[in-house]
Amino acid sequence: MTRMATMTAAQRRDQARREYDAFIRSCPTNQLLDRISDKWVSLVVSALAAGSMRYSDLGRKIAGVSPKMLTQTLRALERDGIVARTVTPSVPVRVDYELTPLGTSLSCLLSAVKDWAELHIEQVNEAREQYDAEEH
Amino acid sequence: MTRMATMTAAQRRDQARREYDAFIRSCPTNQLLDRISDKWVSLVVSALAAGSMRYSDLGRKIAGVSPKMLTQTLRALERDGIVARTVTPSVPVRVDYELTPLGTSLSCLLSAVKDWAELHIEQVNEAREQYDAEEH
DNA sequence: CTGCATCCTGTAGGATACTG
DNA sequence: CAGTATCCTACAGGATGCAG
């Protein structure tokens, strides 16, 4: 009989995925990619790059964001030390958000990404047109 | 009676989201962020940074990836002109993938991201610990 | 004003099986 | 070897309503 101890391809991949996941979670680069790749994060950071803003101002400036995602994004960024949250206990309460030094640094990295994007987007678009023109 | 023409908050946000989505799709930076933020893209690009590889080699090197996602990722990168696909019609067929010049350039950008991550991850971790230690 | 809790849906993506 | 096709599920994230 065939060795039952032999793992199936799926089992092997499953185990590999577990190890991989553990690796990913401990990998700074991927942690950061997860962070900046978030749809709303880059928008919040670039909005705040211009200066501190209130919660509702962010909601208006970032068109189409739901309160839930805005809060979720801001909490995550606050936890990571990217943004600072300041509560003014007036009535009604006023909450301001601003970039920390670390946040400003991240904002610079996003600028680098932006520069690369604008420099190469045309090349990408050409590649896409050419690819789509061929038959696949 | 109140004006029925007045939009609810949800309706306004919905319209805003539509406009926003259109904007996003036309924005190079966000297109690129969508691209490099993909879980597998960064892994494929960095794997290929070392040189050309076959399909199954990539599958082994990138632990835990399913054939489906590997193919999907490679197709997207090929379409964008990031990787080149070379078929050698032997039996069995052999397919090699390698970075294009554009792909190499992207690989450099990813290195910049990596450098930033490794430089600041400790600061982020400290911020997280401090945040988690406080009550919320 | 600034959120949080709940519900609900679309979809990304994994498992599995099959083909040239 | 290098994929493709199908199914299925988990989770991101939007709508809504309520609270401090």
Side-chain angles (χ1 to χ4, degrees), chain A residues 3 12 17-18 28 32 35 39 51 54 57 64 66 70 75-76 78 82 95 102-103 106 108-109 123 130 135:
Chain A
R3 290 284 312 284
R12 257 180 282 113
R17 193 163 47 76
R18 260 187 266 279
L32 176 68
R35 183 55 72 237
K39 184 182 178 183
R54 299 180 60 172
D57 290 334
S66 64
L70 184 54
R75 284 290 174 284
E78 187 193 357
I82 308 289
V95 181
L102 181 60
L106 178 59
C108 291
L109 178 66
Q123 218 175 324
Q130 186 180 336
E135 74 296 337

Side-chain angles (χ1 to χ4, degrees), chain A:
Chain A
M1 66 183 284
T2 49
R3 290 284 312 284
M4 294 308 287
T6 303
M7 301 172 81
T8 66
Q11 286 174 319
R12 257 180 282 113
R13 205 168 45 239
D14 193 53
Q15 187 187 342
R17 193 163 47 76
R18 260 187 266 279
E19 292 168 5
Y20 159 82
D21 281 346
F23 166 72
I24 284 297
R25 271 192 294 276
S26 69
C27 171
T29 305
N30 282 280
Q31 285 178 9
L32 176 68
L33 274 178
D34 272 3
R35 183 55 72 237
I36 69 171
S37 69
D38 184 287
K39 184 182 178 183
W40 302 114
V41 165
S42 57
L43 292 165
V44 167
V45 170
S46 62
L48 289 177
S52 107
M53 294 182 79
R54 299 180 60 172
Y55 179 85
S56 49
D57 290 334
L58 280 169
R60 268 185 296 277
K61 174 130 185 182
I62 304 172
V65 70
S66 64
K68 177 183 175 181
M69 291 318 294
L70 184 54
T71 300
Q72 199 174 103
T73 303
L74 287 167
R75 284 290 174 284
L77 292 176
E78 187 193 357
R79 187 171 107 94
D80 287 356
I82 308 289
V83 307
R85 179 171 178 270
T86 313
V87 181
T88 308
S90 52
V91 179
V93 63
R94 171 197 178 103
V95 181
D96 288 274
Y97 292 91
E98 63 184 331
L99 290 182
T100 63
L102 181 60
T104 304
S105 166
L106 178 59
S107 161
C108 291
L109 178 66
L110 281 173
S111 286
V113 173
K114 176 166 168 273
D115 290 344
W116 193 94
E118 292 177 348
L119 196 58
H120 298 279
I121 187 65
E122 196 169 337
Q123 218 175 324
V124 170
N125 282 140
E126 282 170 15
R128 284 182 184 170
E129 281 172 29
Q130 186 180 336
Y131 183 92
D132 293 343
E134 297 161 10
E135 74 296 337
H136 293 280

Side-chain angles (χ1 to χ4, degrees), chain B residues 8-93:
Chain B
T8 66
Q11 285 173 320
R12 256 180 282 113
R13 202 166 51 238
D14 193 53
Q15 186 188 342
R17 191 162 49 75
R18 260 188 267 278
E19 292 168 7
Y20 160 82
D21 281 345
F23 166 72
I24 284 298
R25 271 191 294 276
S26 70
C27 171
T29 306
N30 281 280
Q31 285 178 7
L32 176 69
L33 274 177
D34 271 2
R35 181 57 68 240
I36 70 171
S37 71
D38 184 287
K39 183 181 180 182
W40 302 113
V41 164
S42 57
L43 292 164
V44 167
V45 169
S46 62
L48 290 177
S52 105
M53 294 182 79
R54 301 179 59 171
Y55 180 87
S56 50
D57 290 334
L58 280 169
R60 267 185 297 276
K61 173 131 186 182
I62 303 173
V65 70
S66 63
K68 176 184 175 180
M69 290 319 294
L70 184 54
T71 300
Q72 199 172 104
T73 303
L74 287 168
R75 286 289 177 283
L77 291 176
E78 188 194 357
R79 188 171 106 96
D80 287 357
I82 307 289
V83 307
R85 179 170 178 270
T86 312
V87 180
T88 309
S90 53
V91 179
V93 61

